[in-house]
Amino acid sequence: MKIAADEKKKVFLLHTKNTTYGIAIIDDRYVGHLYYGRYLEDADIRYLLREDEGPRTPSVNLREKGAFLDCAPMEYPETGMGDYRESALCIRDARGFRASELFYEGYEILNGKPGLEGLPASWGSREDCMTLKIFCRDEVLGMKVTLLYSVFEESDVITRSVLVENQGKEPFYIEKVLSACLDMDDRDFQVLGLFGSWARERHIQRMDLGYGRQNLASFKGESSHQEHPFLALVTPETTQDTGEVYAMNFVYSGNFLAQAEKSQFDSVRMLMGIHPEGFTWKLEPGACFTAPETVLVYSDQGLGHMTRTFHDFYRNHLIRSPYLHKKRPILINNWEATYFDFDEKKLLEIAKDASELGIEMLVMDDGWFGKRNLDDSSLGDWYVNEEKIKGGLNALVENVKKLGMKFGIWIEPEMISPDSELYRQHPDWAIQIPGRSITQSRAQYVLDLSRDEVVDGVYEKIAAVIRSADISYVKWDMNRQLTTMGSCCLPGDRQGELYHRYMLGVYKMQERLLADFPDLLLENCSGGGARFDAGMLYYSPQIWCSDDTDAIERLAIQEGTALLYPVSAMGAHVSVCPNHSVGRVTPFETRGDVALLGTFGYELDITKLSPEEKALVKEQVKKYHQYNDLIREGDYYRLASYRENGYYDSWMIVEKDKSRALLFYVQVRARANAKSRMLRLKGLDPQRRYLAEEKEYQGNTLLQAGIRIPAEMGDFRSRLVEIREIP
Ligand code: GLA
């Protein structure tokens, strides 16, 4: 049984293959948290609540409400009644009072998993998962809250979200509605998160959890370059292969809060949801608010197991694209090759040389529309600039197709340039606060996608472009954060809904694009990787990882990204040297090997490559075809991190049946007087025999003693080793 409800003991147990999650009803009223962790067979765990122990202060009265609420483990804590730890829900009623108190009403268990209206979410069949709904009510407000838990037994994953309904007579305001809360018993934890900046996204950061609150957050209107909607609590000894990990990841692309808090009683509360900063939602009688989903993963086998659990879950139950399990066309993008300085002739020259080397798709990046020759105009004017693309888009695409290549195009539908026909026609379409100047960023404003006419108006223009030629791929970009949050169409007491309504508008547009163009390969992007998150993966099977294409900078970016997300989703390209972001010069081979851990493509002026480099492109194309099935579908193991050791980086992809693997090794810095390194492999079958670099090994030898990696002269050297089972 995936979900067991003991009505007498008022205990719910949710089981996955290796984990158990326990909930108990306290005093017939409160929904309390019992347990989350390694699988428990014994259902008799109510004692974990310590119901007979009083808090020491301010009273020994066991059920004095304030003291009780501030230390009881809660499933969904609220503001205003005595729990002073961070709450998950805060309601202000029509009279201005801020409080709510949820009492348990009942439950329902169903096979499968209902969708979340308007939101990305994981999905599964009746065989894959079961859902527990716990119903609670606040009588004073007439508010019904449904806590949703879906249990994916085989995947070892539990997902959570929340529905808030107004069944009363007066409207009320939701000022905070997080999606998941986990109250854990005292344990020493470290906080592990992803932190970065533009061109330095998702670097892994780990620190001790002290008393008080530590959080990662965004209120930029996007999941952001800087902090990431992911949080893991790990025991201090946790490595890739050992130790405990509690992880939460948010299936949402806008503002978020991910927080851990250690209380006076050493209990730890972990929370995730939409950031309350700038958020208020007016709920009219009869209306319902759906909070986005949080994915929970527990691992007692270190970070590596957590990673592989997320990868499999997202590949099996989140990404919907028909391209997920397919080799994507190797693309060449003209951005770093030409920036805005191109015409159809230049693009065709690139396409011609690229096609001769086996590259399969040309992507025309920013600068093909309106009068855009720099990043200072025309967003919103989605028609082809025929001074640049002489003969029009269709002719260009047909000529590219004659070379045997597909064609892709860049768009940035969420934006509007102050210097655009669209803005001159519809100045009110920009997000703005009347009377204040609108903040410009990259000389652009953001469209008010909370309005249906704006979503429809822009979508129609984009769709017309895609219909006008045989377009196989779209790169959907989003190049600035949100500011001066105001919508011309929302009443005063609904302006706090704009951030979330904006995200709903983005999701609606992408959903429509996929419905209208089911064969389209969509790649999301946001100034590099500011929206590389589980929400966007529901719409696109790949996301541009970072504007930094330097092979060495990419090691930490791709390590952090692959901590959670399948490598088949990581947009990665080979670019020229000196690298445009850091000026570093790395071998062409290394750039290719690092980009293989992703969707793979090129982002350079191929017409300017030397004959030697062109020969290397051919070899890389061959490697891609040879290894992409394995890389896309296999299990990812992290062997070493340059971030930690300062010298080398290494990872492996192992075929699910362990018959084949690919080892990646990058010697970032050469060392004088160095010996070869014995690198211990992971994921292989200890009993089977394998062949690697023409030598035979027993699997166990490779796991325990390692494979020999010679020290090389020179920095930034990479090595790719295929390991095959000997039949
Ligand atoms: C963003 C993207 C780049 C490129 C430019 C175009 O920065 O991340 O890849 O498309 O926009 O303006």
Side-chain angles (χ1 to χ4, degrees):
M1 226 8 209
K2 290 174 223 172
I3 299 178
D6 184 331
E7 301 204 8
K8 241 173 69 209
K9 291 196 178 115
K10 293 266 164 47
V11 165
F12 300 92
L13 293 180
L14 285 51
H15 297 294
T16 70
K17 204 168 50 179
N18 297 303
T19 74
T20 295
Y21 190 110
I23 299 165
I25 308 306
I26 311 172
D27 294 352
D28 276 334
R29 302 178 125 187
Y30 301 103
V31 185
H33 179 74
L34 266 184
Y35 174 83
Y36 183 38
R38 196 183 193 144
Y39 188 89
L40 298 180
E41 274 142 43
D42 182 5
D44 193 10
I45 55 170
R46 223 195 134 94
Y47 72 96
L48 293 171
L49 281 175
R50 299 183 174 90
E51 283 169 293
D52 53 347
E53 271 177 55
R56 318 285 177 273
T57 76
S59 160
V60 288
N61 179 345
L62 292 183
R63 281 299 179 264
E64 186 168 281
K65 204 197 265 179
F68 158 69
L69 286 177
D70 200 34
C71 70
M74 304 299 266
E75 276 298 314
Y76 201 62
E78 302 138 278
T79 299
M81 301 305 285
D83 185 341
Y84 296 102
R85 295 163 291 178
E86 184 84 31
S87 66
L89 183 72
C90 176
I91 305 291
R92 173 166 51 89
D93 70 18
R95 301 165 300 169
F97 299 119
R98 263 188 197 84
S100 63
E101 193 170 24
L102 293 174
F103 291 161
Y104 171 75
E105 269 206 327
Y107 73 95
E108 189 186 324
I109 293 172
L110 32 118
N111 287 316
K113 178 175 188 283
L116 299 181
E117 209 193 327
L119 287 166
S122 62
W123 38 267
S125 69
R126 296 166 63 87
E127 288 72 42
D128 296 328
C129 56
M130 280 176 99
T131 299
L132 167 68
K133 293 182 175 182
I134 293 191
F135 305 116
C136 311
R137 169 174 294 277
D138 178 295
E139 272 311 329
V140 179
L141 293 164
M143 174 174 69
K144 177 177 175 183
V145 171
T146 306
L147 307 179
L148 294 164
Y149 302 80
S150 293
V151 182
F152 289 80
E153 189 178 18
E154 272 308 303
S155 307
D156 253 337
V157 163
I158 291 173
T159 64
R160 287 188 61 174
S161 64
V162 177
L163 308 177
V164 182
E165 282 171 77
N166 186 346
Q167 298 184 338
K169 292 194 174 60
E170 294 282 326
F172 59 76
Y173 298 87
I174 307 173
E175 297 202 321
K176 181 194 215 177
V177 54
L178 304 188
S179 300
C181 169
L182 201 55
D183 270 352
M184 286 181 282
D185 226 351
D186 62 339
R187 192 116 38 109
D188 259 353
F189 278 123
Q190 292 181 329
V191 176
L192 189 138
L194 301 172
F195 191 85
S197 177
W198 171 74
R200 271 192 280 119
E201 295 89 338
R202 291 174 296 286
H203 285 224
I204 296 171
Q205 175 179 248
R206 188 167 166 171
M207 59 207 158
D208 289 340
L209 175 66
Y211 291 104
R213 298 166 194 205
Q214 273 164 257
N215 68 49
L216 291 156
S218 165
F219 21 89
K220 294 174 180 330
E222 56 180 11
S223 47
S224 92
H225 297 101
Q226 287 76 13
E227 295 169 44
H228 198 73
F230 161 75
L231 182 71
L233 292 180
V234 303
T235 43
E237 73 285 359
T238 295
T239 64
Q240 279 295 317
D241 309 304
T242 59
E244 282 188 285
V245 183
Y246 291 86
M248 284 187 183
N249 192 27
F250 204 24
V251 187
Y252 189 63
S253 316
N255 292 351
F256 73 88
L257 173 69
Q259 183 168 288
E261 174 181 4
K262 190 166 173 173
S263 80
Q264 56 183 327
F265 301 112
D266 293 325
S267 64
V268 175
R269 174 168 285 178
M270 191 177 178
L271 293 152
M272 185 163 281
I274 292 179
H275 204 295
E277 169 99 22
F279 175 88
T280 324
W281 194 276
K282 182 179 187 183
L283 207 64
E284 295 282 1
C288 178
F289 182 88
T290 306
E293 174 168 289
T294 293
V295 177
L296 273 67
V297 170
Y298 167 79
S299 159
D300 63 354
Q301 297 158 56
L303 286 165
H305 181 71
M306 175 206 78
T307 292
R308 289 182 290 281
T309 304
F310 274 116
H311 286 194
D312 284 343
F313 185 62
Y314 289 159
R315 285 184 293 197
N316 296 330
H317 298 290
L318 179 70
I319 302 172
R320 300 173 296 171
S321 169
Y323 290 94
L324 172 65
H325 296 297
K326 289 193 185 140
K327 230 188 314 160
R328 324 276 157 80
I330 302 177
L331 65 81
I332 183 154
N333 178 305
N334 73 305
W335 179 241
E336 285 197 28
T338 63
Y339 296 103
F340 293 101
D341 185 18
F342 64 90
D343 57 12
E344 90 293 343
K345 231 173 101 215
K346 180 69 203 169
L347 293 177
L348 283 170
E349 277 167 25
I350 292 178
K352 184 168 169 297
D353 281 19
S355 68
E356 283 165 7
L357 301 177
I359 295 172
E360 299 158 311
M361 179 160 75
L362 175 78
V363 176
M364 176 169 70
D365 211 276
D366 193 357
W368 55 267
F369 52 93
K371 57 180 180 68
R372 189 159 166 102
N373 294 315
L374 249 188
D375 59 5
D376 59 355
S377 82
S378 305
L379 294 168
D381 297 343
W382 300 111
Y383 55 85
V384 176
N385 177 350
E386 295 212 7
E387 278 172 32
K388 263 183 164 171
I389 310 298
K390 290 173 214 76
L393 184 62
N394 190 47
L396 171 64
V397 175
E398 290 307 312
N399 284 330
V400 169
K401 281 169 64 189
K402 278 186 202 141
L403 296 167
M405 291 174 93
K406 293 173 187 284
F407 187 87
I409 199 165
W410 177 98
I411 51 173
E412 195 179 359
E414 299 162 58
M415 298 293 152
I416 180 167
S417 301
D419 180 8
S420 66
E421 288 166 24
L422 186 68
Y423 187 69
R424 284 184 280 276
Q425 279 163 16
H426 299 289
D428 61 306
W429 280 22
I431 287 182
Q432 60 195 283
I433 299 177
R436 291 192 184 279
S437 63
I438 316 178
T439 316
Q440 283 194 24
S441 175
R442 211 190 189 209
Q444 62 199 57
Y445 300 155
V446 184
L447 282 168
D448 180 359
L449 298 182
S450 71
R451 292 167 61 180
D452 282 344
E453 71 270 34
V454 178
V455 169
D456 293 346
V458 176
Y459 177 79
E460 286 308 334
K461 288 181 181 218
I462 300 288
V465 173
I466 299 172
R467 265 186 223 110
S468 74
D470 189 0
I471 290 175
S472 305
Y473 159 108
V474 160
K475 175 176 172 188
W476 177 306
D477 208 342
M478 192 276 190
N479 274 320
R480 62 157 289 182
Q481 293 90 36
L482 276 52
T483 49
T484 34
M485 290 304 285
S487 167
C488 297
C489 288
L490 289 171
D493 63 350
R494 285 192 179 275
Q495 289 293 342
E497 301 176 12
L498 186 53
Y499 277 117
H500 184 58
R501 286 189 184 275
Y502 176 84
M503 268 332 302
L504 295 177
V506 173
Y507 291 146
K508 199 194 290 180
M509 255 214 251
Q510 296 215 346
E511 192 67 49
R512 201 164 150 195
L513 183 73
L514 297 175
D516 289 351
F517 304 97
D519 296 331
L520 196 71
L521 171 57
L522 181 63
E523 174 155 353
N524 268 291
C525 173
S526 178
R531 232 168 35 185
F532 199 122
D533 56 59
M536 298 320 290
L537 282 182
Y538 183 71
Y539 302 92
S540 66
Q542 58 195 64
I543 303 176
W544 183 230
C545 206
S546 175
D547 277 344
D548 194 337
T549 51
D550 173 71
I552 303 307
E553 294 298 294
R554 275 289 181 127
L555 295 176
I557 297 171
Q558 295 184 183
E559 179 190 5
T561 307
L563 182 72
L564 293 183
Y565 304 110
V567 301
S568 61
M570 294 200 298
H573 298 166
V574 176
S575 63
V576 287
C577 281
N579 177 269
H580 291 191
S581 302
V582 289
R584 185 177 286 124
V585 176
T586 54
F588 204 87
E589 293 88 334
T590 304
R591 284 177 258 159
D593 287 348
V594 173
L596 274 181
L597 187 77
T599 56
F600 196 71
Y602 292 84
E603 179 134 355
L604 42 72
D605 188 347
I606 204 155
T607 64
K608 295 195 178 132
L609 294 189
S610 67
E612 295 74 37
E613 285 171 325
K614 285 189 169 168
L616 289 172
V617 171
K618 272 193 176 166
E619 275 179 37
Q620 290 170 345
V621 164
K622 212 168 112 200
K623 275 193 205 171
Y624 172 79
H625 289 300
Q626 206 173 340
Y627 297 129
N628 183 259
D629 286 347
L630 167 61
I631 292 172
R632 211 181 51 241
E633 309 287 341
D635 285 334
Y636 167 90
Y637 289 85
R638 180 47 62 176
L639 303 190
S641 166
Y642 164 61
R643 207 175 33 83
E644 288 170 0
N645 63 39
Y647 286 101
Y648 67 103
D649 215 61
S650 182
W651 62 91
M652 266 177 91
I653 308 281
V654 181
E655 191 121 10
K656 290 269 174 205
D657 68 3
K658 299 187 183 293
S659 63
R660 193 178 167 217
L662 196 60
L663 166 68
F664 292 77
Y665 181 88
V666 182
Q667 174 184 289
V668 180
R669 285 172 54 206
R671 257 174 158 175
N673 196 15
K675 288 208 285 189
S676 58
R677 166 167 285 119
M678 297 300 169
L679 186 69
R680 290 208 266 171
L681 304 190
K682 293 182 185 175
L684 301 173
D685 183 336
Q687 299 312 325
R688 292 190 228 176
R689 293 198 65 78
Y690 292 94
L691 185 72
E693 295 181 318
E694 291 169 20
K695 179 171 162 35
E696 286 189 23
Y697 301 87
Q698 197 196 18
N700 201 37
T701 310
L702 288 170
L703 297 172
Q704 304 306 329
I707 195 167
R708 185 160 150 187
I709 307 283
E712 285 190 63
M713 286 295 278
D715 293 340
F716 319 136
R717 305 282 146 175
S718 73
R719 195 178 185 90
L720 214 60
V721 181
E722 187 180 357
I723 299 142
R724 272 185 174 279
E725 184 185 357
I726 303 168

